[in-house]
Amino acid sequence: MFLMNVPTRALFGYGTLEKLHEEVLPGKKALIVISGGKATKANGYLARVEKELDKAGVVHCLFDEIEANPLDTTVMRGAAAARANDCDFILALGGGSVMDASKAIAAMAANEGELWDYIQSGTGGRKALAVHPLPLVCVTTTAGTGSETDCGAVISNLKTKEKPGFVDPALFPVLAIIDPELMLSVPPIFTAFQGFDALFHSTECCISNKANLMSDIFAFTAVENVAKNLAACVKEGGNREAREKVAFANYLSGFSMMTGSCTSEHSLEHALSAFHHELPHGAGLIMLARAYYTHFIKKGCCPERFIKMARIMGMAEADKPEDFVTMLDKLMKACGVAELKMSDYGITRAEFPEMARNARETMGFLFSCDPAVLTDKDSISIYEASYK
């Protein structure tokens, strides 16, 4: 069985940003949310969005504080800015972090209390949203999270060292603009990190025990498009065809998650970057991936699915599950990320038991989607095998 409910209207393709003013926007005053970095302004993307809103007769103000791993405290400042300026919708301009933060800002601009009151795991208060969030429009500038398609966000809490999911059907964006032109300027290393995030969303969905006829359509197609085009994006940032294919795969990865489910690979990584906030999410996933998938291959889980992924990634003659890890390693080398080290981010082996506990307490629901039971001991073993 599957549930198909992805209500976001999406415009995909080169030049779609210039069509934003033609859309029926969900309000008359927008809070534009961007990162605290310089790229969105320097590349002219903010000015272009502002011009589109002006054409549509929408008043706008700016909140430009979002971190690479967005914090609950930043979300609350963004929500306060939306209320102070009487904004009636949020426009996220950026990558996954900005879109995730914007979902939480949209929720907290309409609801009382603190964001952590509404987190459903770990130290969260487990309250339900009482008021529907402000409508959200996403203009994505990266191909990594699929957040323009889904109803979830990941927010960090530095005090508790938690990085849980914040998921609610009310958080689906009402409109997404996916213009690959905005991705041409992403530097090579971040192109790789983001692309592997999109890849692992779908490889996880392929082996998840929640996989189904519908999720398979999205997940396997996404895996193929990332595998065959990401290296070209990394090596030739201006390769328009490759960028479009990876952007398409990223968009599909959101559908993969909404019709199926990721697995505990994401839980394990969220613990890494919750403890070490400067670690990019995609980098953490890359570090874990070979050991993570090898663990389930050795368990004898879904061998035919691993073989199928190896084949669509380019090994036509693949006939054993281990061929998937071979192709994964080949792609990592082609993108220049095969030798990433946890130690370069200050991660130590002594942290692994606490990280394993943290992963289960804050994102335990993904463990229930694994193709075989993954114990805390197994999680620590995966961390150990990934350590450099």
Side-chain angles (χ1 to χ4, degrees):
M1 64 169 287
F2 62 83
L3 171 65
M4 183 65 183
N5 177 36
V6 184
T8 302
R9 176 177 171 83
L11 276 67
F12 181 96
Y14 285 99
T16 49
L17 176 56
E18 275 61 47
K19 297 184 180 296
L20 177 61
H21 72 278
E22 300 174 4
E23 292 294 304
V24 177
L25 297 175
K28 290 299 182 182
K29 188 167 188 180
L31 180 71
I32 303 174
V33 179
I34 65 174
S35 76
K38 299 177 181 178
T40 306
K41 296 176 183 177
N43 291 320
Y45 303 153
L46 175 60
R48 290 170 63 183
V49 165
E50 291 175 330
K51 182 178 179 180
E52 289 297 303
L53 293 179
D54 290 341
K55 285 184 179 179
V58 173
V59 179
H60 45 84
C61 52
L62 181 66
F63 183 75
D64 59 356
E65 301 181 23
I66 306 303
E67 306 90 350
N69 286 304
L71 298 173
D72 61 322
T73 50
T74 308
V75 164
M76 294 307 299
R77 289 198 302 275
R83 289 194 299 269
N85 289 282
D86 294 321
C87 296
D88 52 10
F89 75 101
I90 309 296
L91 188 147
L93 172 61
S97 298
V98 169
M99 291 186 283
D100 280 11
S102 294
K103 290 174 184 176
I105 288 171
M108 296 315 300
N111 286 272
E112 297 296 326
E114 299 292 325
L115 173 64
W116 226 250
D117 297 337
Y118 301 93
I119 297 297
Q120 300 298 311
S121 61
T123 63
R126 292 172 170 78
K127 290 174 61 177
L129 293 174
V131 181
H132 198 284
L134 297 185
L136 172 65
V137 174
C138 288
V139 179
T140 181
T141 62
T142 67
T145 67
S147 193
E148 70 274 15
T149 321
D150 66 34
C151 63
V154 176
I155 307 296
S156 297
N157 184 323
L158 286 181
K159 290 182 179 179
T160 62
K161 290 186 178 180
E162 291 175 293
K163 188 181 175 185
F166 176 46
V167 182
D168 192 288
L171 297 177
F172 275 111
V174 297
L175 172 67
I177 302 291
I178 307 146
D179 188 338
E181 184 182 346
L182 306 186
M183 304 170 191
L184 297 174
S185 59
V186 178
I189 191 64
F190 291 108
T191 295
F193 292 166
Q194 294 155 8
F196 273 98
D197 187 14
L199 177 72
F200 294 135
H201 283 152
S202 288
T203 56
E204 290 174 42
C205 287
C206 286
I207 69 167
S208 168
N209 61 34
K210 298 294 189 289
N212 56 70
L213 292 171
M214 185 63 76
S215 67
D216 281 354
I217 292 173
F218 300 123
F220 283 109
T221 304
V223 170
E224 181 174 14
N225 276 273
V226 174
K228 293 183 177 179
N229 294 281
L230 182 58
C233 291
V234 172
K235 295 172 182 176
E236 314 162 44
N239 187 321
R240 294 174 66 87
E241 181 179 359
R243 288 283 188 185
E244 184 176 44
K245 293 288 181 62
V246 175
F248 178 59
N250 176 60
Y251 177 57
L252 291 184
S253 75
F255 284 88
S256 299
M257 293 183 283
M258 290 294 96
T259 54
S261 177
C262 287
T263 63
S264 61
E265 181 184 16
H266 266 71
S267 304
L268 295 179
E269 195 296 314
H270 284 165
L272 286 178
S273 47
F275 279 60
H276 295 271
H277 199 64
E278 298 308 311
L279 173 65
H281 175 55
L285 289 170
I286 291 167
M287 293 171 186
L288 294 171
R290 285 169 287 202
Y292 182 82
Y293 291 102
T294 296
H295 172 85
F296 288 111
I297 288 170
K298 288 181 176 178
K299 287 278 188 180
C301 299
C302 50
E304 72 290 344
R305 287 178 169 265
F306 282 111
I307 293 170
K308 181 175 180 178
M309 286 193 288
R311 289 175 178 171
I312 64 177
M313 290 175 75
M315 187 188 288
E317 70 282 9
D319 60 2
K320 57 185 182 299
E322 292 81 1
D323 290 334
F324 167 72
V325 179
T326 298
M327 292 306 294
L328 191 58
D329 190 62
K330 182 178 179 180
L331 183 60
M332 289 179 184
K333 289 175 179 175
C335 294
V337 294
E339 299 304 321
L340 293 176
K341 297 179 180 179
M342 290 186 186
S343 56
D344 286 344
Y345 292 90
I347 299 168
T348 66
R349 286 190 169 96
E351 296 172 293
F352 291 158
E354 191 177 357
M355 286 179 174
R357 177 192 57 76
N358 180 288
R360 193 175 300 278
E361 288 183 357
T362 59
M363 295 198 79
F365 68 97
L366 291 183
F367 285 83
S368 69
C369 302
D370 286 338
V373 173
L374 192 77
T375 66
D376 286 351
K377 183 179 179 181
D378 294 331
S379 297
I380 293 169
S381 295
I382 290 169
Y383 283 137
E384 288 280 2
S386 304
Y387 190 80
K388 294 179 184 178

